[in-house]
Short mmCIF file of all heavy atoms in Angstrom, two decimals:
data_model
loop_
_atom_site.label_atom_id
_atom_site.label_comp_id
_atom_site.label_asym_id
_atom_site.label_seq_id
_atom_site.Cartn_x
_atom_site.Cartn_y
_atom_site.Cartn_z
N CYS A 54 83.24 75.36 -34.91
CA CYS A 54 82.63 74.56 -35.95
C CYS A 54 83.40 73.23 -36.02
O CYS A 54 84.55 73.09 -35.66
CB CYS A 54 82.67 75.26 -37.17
SG CYS A 54 84.32 75.64 -37.86
N PRO A 56 84.61 71.34 -38.48
CA PRO A 56 85.86 71.29 -39.42
C PRO A 56 87.01 71.82 -38.48
O PRO A 56 88.20 71.20 -38.65
CB PRO A 56 85.59 72.08 -40.58
CG PRO A 56 84.12 71.97 -40.73
CD PRO A 56 83.63 72.07 -39.32
N CYS A 90 86.51 82.57 -44.77
CA CYS A 90 85.94 82.69 -43.53
C CYS A 90 86.94 83.16 -42.50
O CYS A 90 88.06 82.67 -42.41
CB CYS A 90 85.28 81.27 -43.08
SG CYS A 90 85.19 80.94 -41.30
N LYS A 92 87.61 82.36 -39.59
CA LYS A 92 88.19 81.40 -38.76
C LYS A 92 89.60 80.92 -39.44
O LYS A 92 90.49 80.58 -38.86
CB LYS A 92 87.31 80.16 -38.59
CG LYS A 92 86.28 80.51 -37.54
CD LYS A 92 85.68 79.17 -36.85
CE LYS A 92 84.67 79.60 -35.92
NZ LYS A 92 83.31 79.18 -36.20
N PHE A 93 89.60 80.90 -40.90
CA PHE A 93 90.87 80.64 -41.55
C PHE A 93 91.84 81.66 -41.24
O PHE A 93 93.15 81.42 -41.04
CB PHE A 93 90.58 80.50 -43.06
CG PHE A 93 90.05 79.22 -43.50
CD1 PHE A 93 88.80 78.94 -43.48
CD2 PHE A 93 91.11 78.25 -43.92
CE1 PHE A 93 88.34 77.60 -43.94
CE2 PHE A 93 90.62 77.06 -44.28
CZ PHE A 93 89.20 76.70 -44.34
N HIS A 195 81.33 72.52 -48.11
CA HIS A 195 82.74 72.90 -48.06
C HIS A 195 83.51 71.66 -48.48
O HIS A 195 83.20 70.49 -48.05
CB HIS A 195 83.23 73.38 -46.73
CG HIS A 195 82.51 74.54 -46.23
ND1 HIS A 195 82.57 75.82 -46.82
CD2 HIS A 195 81.71 74.71 -45.10
CE1 HIS A 195 81.82 76.67 -46.20
NE2 HIS A 195 81.28 76.04 -45.12
N TYR A 197 86.22 70.51 -47.37
CA TYR A 197 86.73 69.87 -46.22
C TYR A 197 85.65 69.04 -45.50
O TYR A 197 85.82 68.26 -44.58
CB TYR A 197 87.53 70.67 -45.34
CG TYR A 197 86.97 72.09 -45.07
CD1 TYR A 197 85.96 72.25 -44.08
CD2 TYR A 197 87.26 73.15 -45.85
CE1 TYR A 197 85.44 73.52 -43.90
CE2 TYR A 197 86.72 74.41 -45.66
CZ TYR A 197 85.73 74.59 -44.71
OH TYR A 197 85.13 75.88 -44.49
N CYS A 272 78.88 76.27 -38.31
CA CYS A 272 79.38 77.07 -39.36
C CYS A 272 78.62 78.25 -39.52
O CYS A 272 77.43 78.19 -39.99
CB CYS A 272 79.50 76.22 -40.68
SG CYS A 272 80.07 77.25 -42.03
N GLY A 273 79.24 79.37 -39.50
CA GLY A 273 78.44 80.69 -39.63
C GLY A 273 78.07 80.93 -41.07
O GLY A 273 76.93 81.29 -41.25
N THR A 274 78.99 80.60 -42.02
CA THR A 274 78.64 80.95 -43.35
C THR A 274 77.67 79.92 -43.87
O THR A 274 76.75 80.29 -44.59
CB THR A 274 79.95 80.90 -44.22
OG1 THR A 274 80.49 79.53 -44.28
CG2 THR A 274 81.04 81.80 -43.84
S1 LIG B 1 83.50 78.43 -43.16
FE1 LIG B 1 82.22 77.42 -41.50
S2 LIG B 1 82.95 75.34 -41.43
FE2 LIG B 1 84.53 76.57 -42.49
S3 LIG B 1 86.00 77.28 -41.00
FE3 LIG B 1 84.52 78.85 -41.30
S4 LIG B 1 82.79 78.59 -39.70
FE4 LIG B 1 84.21 76.68 -39.89
#
Side-chain angles (χ1 to χ4, degrees):
C54 61
C90 156
K92 285 204 177 111
F93 274 89
H195 300 297
Y197 41 85
C272 174
T274 65

